Amino acid sequence: MKTLTILLLTLSVSVVPSLVSSQNTRFSDPATVVESEFWGNLYAEGGTSFFCETPFTSKGFLLTDGYIYPLAQVRSALDCGTSTQCADNDRYRQIASDLHNIVPVRSRTEMRRRNSRYEELGSAGKPDECGIRESAQFFEPPEKVKGDVARTVAYMVDTYNLPWAGATRVFQSWNRIDPPDDRELTRHRRIAEIQGNENPFVQDPGRLENL
């Protein structure tokens, strides 16, 4: 009996690190993460905006931190109230601090899409200069980042038990047509170094087919 107890304790200890490492456990202060880790570390040397690929060397007033899985939908899922009220919710603070979900976005784009759900709009929406289509409360990203969006949304759903921010079949299709490229893989490695966890759907895109 004693041997069995020791074995069970050993197994539980070995399992906990894998569970912990599957999500952001290092950061839980969104404002500090955005300032210090996102702009001050991940994009300290500049980069390109996520949807439009606009080059930048520093944040400036035309760019903002955007959330691929919208925080408004996180708040709704957690039922914690407004952004101010949710600021006292530890679970929300952890999720809102996850760098895998934060991207540099043109401010005017983020204002339009922050409450939208993702959808394949086709001819229902005329693409803008960045290839973005919008209709009512729906948003279709440019072809070149559809897979990035799908794998990030899948990560947020799987990691934090959140509802899908659109139809599952749409994200599965986007994942297939836009596999991880060098930019996505480089960003993923940098975030893993900073935050300490991977996005398994970037490592193995085929996982998304099983959700």
Side-chain angles (χ1 to χ4, degrees):
M1 183 66 181
K2 181 177 180 181
T3 302
L4 178 59
T5 302
I6 292 173
L7 177 60
L8 290 174
L9 286 172
T10 301
L11 287 173
S12 67
V13 169
S14 65
V15 168
V16 168
S18 65
L19 292 175
V20 169
S21 63
S22 68
Q23 61 184 327
N24 160 39
T25 58
R26 289 188 180 176
F27 305 127
S28 60
D29 183 349
T32 299
V33 167
V34 166
E35 180 179 355
S36 300
E37 302 298 340
F38 183 73
W39 294 113
N41 188 351
L42 186 59
Y43 288 99
E45 298 180 1
T48 58
S49 65
F50 181 70
F51 294 110
C52 297
E53 293 189 333
T54 305
F56 66 89
T57 55
S58 59
K59 180 186 176 184
F61 67 91
L62 295 178
L63 280 177
T64 188
D65 37 285
Y67 296 80
I68 294 178
Y69 190 107
L71 291 186
Q73 295 186 41
V74 174
R75 292 192 292 271
S76 177
L78 298 183
D79 195 23
C80 57
T82 65
S83 56
T84 301
Q85 292 168 330
C86 287
D88 294 326
N89 183 299
D90 290 340
R91 185 68 170 155
Y92 176 77
R93 290 167 62 84
Q94 179 194 25
I95 295 172
S97 299
D98 196 315
L99 290 170
H100 284 296
N101 190 44
I102 310 175
V103 289
V105 180
R106 295 199 305 185
S107 299
R108 63 179 182 177
T109 301
E110 183 64 9
M111 285 293 292
R112 298 199 313 265
R113 63 163 291 278
R114 61 177 50 176
N115 295 314
S116 299
R117 288 176 63 80
Y118 293 107
E119 183 57 272
E120 186 73 29
L121 295 173
S123 59
K126 182 179 179 181
D128 66 10
E129 72 276 11
C130 298
I132 295 170
R133 296 176 186 269
E134 298 174 83
S135 177
Q137 293 299 309
F138 296 106
F139 181 92
E140 180 184 341
E143 297 288 332
K144 58 185 173 292
V145 296
K146 282 184 174 179
D148 307 52
V149 168
R151 288 179 284 276
T152 301
V153 171
Y155 163 80
M156 297 297 286
V157 169
D158 189 59
T159 302
Y160 298 110
N161 195 31
L162 296 170
W164 287 92
T168 309
R169 58 173 176 74
V170 169
F171 296 116
Q172 290 173 333
S173 173
W174 291 354
N175 176 57
R176 289 191 295 269
I177 66 174
D178 176 34
D181 57 17
D182 288 342
R183 186 182 75 159
E184 182 180 1
L185 292 171
T186 299
R187 172 185 148 90
H188 176 262
R189 284 192 293 268
R190 286 284 292 119
I191 292 174
E193 292 170 359
I194 296 168
Q195 187 167 280
N197 74 306
E198 307 268 2
N199 177 346
F201 299 96
V202 174
Q203 294 176 300
D204 177 15
R207 288 173 59 109
L208 213 160
E209 298 297 326
N210 300 318
L211 293 181

Short mmCIF file of all heavy atoms in Angstrom, two decimals, residues 185-209:
data_model
loop_
_atom_site.label_atom_id
_atom_site.label_comp_id
_atom_site.label_asym_id
_atom_site.label_seq_id
_atom_site.Cartn_x
_atom_site.Cartn_y
_atom_site.Cartn_z
N LEU A 185 6.21 31.12 -37.07
CA LEU A 185 7.07 30.22 -36.29
C LEU A 185 8.10 31.00 -35.47
O LEU A 185 8.37 30.66 -34.31
CB LEU A 185 7.77 29.23 -37.22
CG LEU A 185 6.85 28.21 -37.90
CD1 LEU A 185 7.62 27.44 -38.97
CD2 LEU A 185 6.27 27.25 -36.87
N THR A 186 8.64 32.07 -36.05
CA THR A 186 9.62 32.89 -35.32
C THR A 186 8.96 33.59 -34.14
O THR A 186 9.49 33.60 -33.02
CB THR A 186 10.24 33.94 -36.26
OG1 THR A 186 10.92 33.28 -37.32
CG2 THR A 186 11.22 34.83 -35.50
N ARG A 187 7.79 34.16 -34.37
CA ARG A 187 7.04 34.81 -33.29
C ARG A 187 6.69 33.81 -32.20
O ARG A 187 6.82 34.09 -31.00
CB ARG A 187 5.77 35.45 -33.86
CG ARG A 187 4.80 36.00 -32.81
CD ARG A 187 3.51 36.48 -33.46
NE ARG A 187 2.38 36.28 -32.55
CZ ARG A 187 1.97 37.17 -31.67
NH1 ARG A 187 2.59 38.33 -31.54
NH2 ARG A 187 0.93 36.90 -30.90
N HIS A 188 6.27 32.62 -32.60
CA HIS A 188 5.90 31.58 -31.64
C HIS A 188 7.08 31.19 -30.76
O HIS A 188 6.94 31.06 -29.54
CB HIS A 188 5.39 30.35 -32.40
CG HIS A 188 5.08 29.18 -31.53
ND1 HIS A 188 5.96 28.14 -31.34
CD2 HIS A 188 3.99 28.90 -30.76
CE1 HIS A 188 5.42 27.26 -30.50
NE2 HIS A 188 4.24 27.70 -30.13
N ARG A 189 8.25 31.03 -31.37
CA ARG A 189 9.45 30.67 -30.58
C ARG A 189 9.80 31.77 -29.58
O ARG A 189 10.15 31.48 -28.43
CB ARG A 189 10.63 30.41 -31.52
CG ARG A 189 10.55 29.06 -32.24
CD ARG A 189 11.87 28.74 -32.91
NE ARG A 189 12.17 29.64 -34.00
CZ ARG A 189 11.82 29.42 -35.27
NH1 ARG A 189 11.16 28.33 -35.59
NH2 ARG A 189 12.15 30.30 -36.21
N ARG A 190 9.70 33.03 -30.01
CA ARG A 190 10.02 34.15 -29.11
C ARG A 190 9.06 34.19 -27.93
O ARG A 190 9.47 34.40 -26.78
CB ARG A 190 9.97 35.46 -29.89
CG ARG A 190 11.14 35.68 -30.81
CD ARG A 190 12.40 36.10 -30.04
NE ARG A 190 12.23 37.43 -29.47
CZ ARG A 190 12.27 37.71 -28.17
NH1 ARG A 190 12.43 36.74 -27.29
NH2 ARG A 190 12.13 38.95 -27.74
N ILE A 191 7.78 33.99 -28.20
CA ILE A 191 6.79 34.01 -27.11
C ILE A 191 7.04 32.85 -26.15
O ILE A 191 6.94 33.01 -24.93
CB ILE A 191 5.36 33.97 -27.67
CG1 ILE A 191 5.05 35.28 -28.40
CG2 ILE A 191 4.34 33.74 -26.55
CD1 ILE A 191 3.72 35.30 -29.12
N ALA A 192 7.36 31.68 -26.68
CA ALA A 192 7.64 30.52 -25.83
C ALA A 192 8.82 30.80 -24.91
O ALA A 192 8.82 30.41 -23.74
CB ALA A 192 7.90 29.29 -26.69
N GLU A 193 9.81 31.52 -25.43
CA GLU A 193 10.97 31.88 -24.61
C GLU A 193 10.58 32.86 -23.51
O GLU A 193 11.01 32.74 -22.36
CB GLU A 193 12.06 32.52 -25.49
CG GLU A 193 12.71 31.55 -26.47
CD GLU A 193 13.60 32.29 -27.47
OE1 GLU A 193 13.67 33.55 -27.39
OE2 GLU A 193 14.19 31.62 -28.33
N ILE A 194 9.75 33.84 -23.84
CA ILE A 194 9.37 34.88 -22.89
C ILE A 194 8.36 34.36 -21.86
O ILE A 194 8.50 34.59 -20.66
CB ILE A 194 8.77 36.09 -23.63
CG1 ILE A 194 9.81 36.74 -24.54
CG2 ILE A 194 8.23 37.13 -22.64
CD1 ILE A 194 9.22 37.76 -25.51
N GLN A 195 7.35 33.65 -22.35
CA GLN A 195 6.22 33.27 -21.51
C GLN A 195 6.34 31.86 -20.92
O GLN A 195 5.73 31.56 -19.90
CB GLN A 195 4.94 33.38 -22.35
CG GLN A 195 3.64 33.17 -21.57
CD GLN A 195 2.45 33.60 -22.38
OE1 GLN A 195 2.13 34.79 -22.47
NE2 GLN A 195 1.75 32.65 -23.00
N GLY A 196 7.10 31.01 -21.59
CA GLY A 196 7.36 29.69 -21.03
C GLY A 196 6.43 28.58 -21.48
O GLY A 196 6.50 27.48 -20.96
N ASN A 197 5.54 28.86 -22.44
CA ASN A 197 4.68 27.78 -22.95
C ASN A 197 4.50 27.90 -24.44
O ASN A 197 4.64 28.98 -25.03
CB ASN A 197 3.32 27.79 -22.24
CG ASN A 197 2.42 28.93 -22.70
OD1 ASN A 197 2.82 30.09 -22.67
ND2 ASN A 197 1.21 28.61 -23.13
N GLU A 198 4.19 26.78 -25.09
CA GLU A 198 4.02 26.71 -26.53
C GLU A 198 2.53 26.78 -26.90
O GLU A 198 1.67 26.55 -26.06
CB GLU A 198 4.58 25.38 -27.06
CG GLU A 198 6.01 25.09 -26.65
CD GLU A 198 7.01 25.58 -27.67
OE1 GLU A 198 6.59 26.19 -28.68
OE2 GLU A 198 8.22 25.36 -27.46
N ASN A 199 2.28 27.07 -28.16
CA ASN A 199 0.95 26.87 -28.74
C ASN A 199 1.02 25.55 -29.51
O ASN A 199 1.64 25.49 -30.57
CB ASN A 199 0.57 28.01 -29.68
CG ASN A 199 -0.78 27.79 -30.35
OD1 ASN A 199 -1.33 26.70 -30.34
ND2 ASN A 199 -1.31 28.85 -30.96
N PRO A 200 0.40 24.49 -29.00
CA PRO A 200 0.54 23.18 -29.64
C PRO A 200 -0.04 23.12 -31.05
O PRO A 200 0.32 22.26 -31.83
CB PRO A 200 -0.22 22.24 -28.69
CG PRO A 200 -1.17 23.12 -27.96
CD PRO A 200 -0.45 24.43 -27.81
N PHE A 201 -0.92 24.06 -31.39
CA PHE A 201 -1.53 24.06 -32.72
C PHE A 201 -0.60 24.68 -33.76
O PHE A 201 -0.79 24.47 -34.96
CB PHE A 201 -2.87 24.79 -32.69
CG PHE A 201 -3.86 24.13 -31.77
CD1 PHE A 201 -4.02 24.58 -30.46
CD2 PHE A 201 -4.59 23.04 -32.19
CE1 PHE A 201 -4.92 23.95 -29.60
CE2 PHE A 201 -5.48 22.40 -31.34
CZ PHE A 201 -5.64 22.86 -30.03
N VAL A 202 0.40 25.42 -33.32
CA VAL A 202 1.45 25.88 -34.22
C VAL A 202 2.47 24.77 -34.39
O VAL A 202 2.97 24.52 -35.49
CB VAL A 202 2.13 27.16 -33.68
CG1 VAL A 202 3.32 27.55 -34.55
CG2 VAL A 202 1.12 28.31 -33.63
N GLN A 203 2.78 24.07 -33.31
CA GLN A 203 3.71 22.96 -33.38
C GLN A 203 3.18 21.83 -34.25
O GLN A 203 3.90 21.19 -35.01
CB GLN A 203 3.98 22.42 -31.97
CG GLN A 203 4.72 23.41 -31.06
CD GLN A 203 4.87 22.86 -29.66
OE1 GLN A 203 3.89 22.56 -28.99
NE2 GLN A 203 6.12 22.67 -29.25
N ASP A 204 1.88 21.55 -34.13
CA ASP A 204 1.24 20.46 -34.87
C ASP A 204 -0.14 20.92 -35.34
O ASP A 204 -1.14 20.70 -34.67
CB ASP A 204 1.12 19.21 -33.99
CG ASP A 204 0.41 18.07 -34.69
OD1 ASP A 204 0.25 18.12 -35.92
OD2 ASP A 204 0.01 17.09 -34.00
N PRO A 205 -0.22 21.59 -36.50
CA PRO A 205 -1.49 22.12 -36.98
C PRO A 205 -2.58 21.05 -37.13
O PRO A 205 -3.78 21.38 -37.04
CB PRO A 205 -1.12 22.73 -38.35
CG PRO A 205 0.33 23.05 -38.23
CD PRO A 205 0.90 21.95 -37.38
N GLY A 206 -2.20 19.81 -37.35
CA GLY A 206 -3.18 18.75 -37.51
C GLY A 206 -4.06 18.53 -36.30
O GLY A 206 -5.15 17.96 -36.40
N ARG A 207 -3.60 18.99 -35.14
CA ARG A 207 -4.39 18.85 -33.90
C ARG A 207 -5.75 19.55 -34.00
O ARG A 207 -6.71 19.15 -33.36
CB ARG A 207 -3.63 19.44 -32.71
CG ARG A 207 -2.44 18.65 -32.24
CD ARG A 207 -1.68 19.43 -31.19
NE ARG A 207 -2.53 19.73 -30.04
CZ ARG A 207 -2.40 19.17 -28.84
NH1 ARG A 207 -1.46 18.25 -28.63
NH2 ARG A 207 -3.19 19.52 -27.84
N LEU A 208 -5.79 20.60 -34.82
CA LEU A 208 -7.02 21.39 -34.91
C LEU A 208 -8.16 20.58 -35.52
O LEU A 208 -9.33 20.85 -35.26
CB LEU A 208 -6.76 22.66 -35.73
CG LEU A 208 -7.54 23.92 -35.32
CD1 LEU A 208 -6.83 25.16 -35.87
CD2 LEU A 208 -8.96 23.88 -35.83
N GLU A 209 -7.82 19.59 -36.33
CA GLU A 209 -8.84 18.78 -36.98
C GLU A 209 -9.61 17.93 -35.96
O GLU A 209 -10.71 17.46 -36.25
CB GLU A 209 -8.21 17.87 -38.03
CG GLU A 209 -7.52 18.60 -39.17
CD GLU A 209 -8.48 19.45 -39.99
OE1 GLU A 209 -9.66 19.04 -40.14
OE2 GLU A 209 -8.06 20.51 -40.48
#
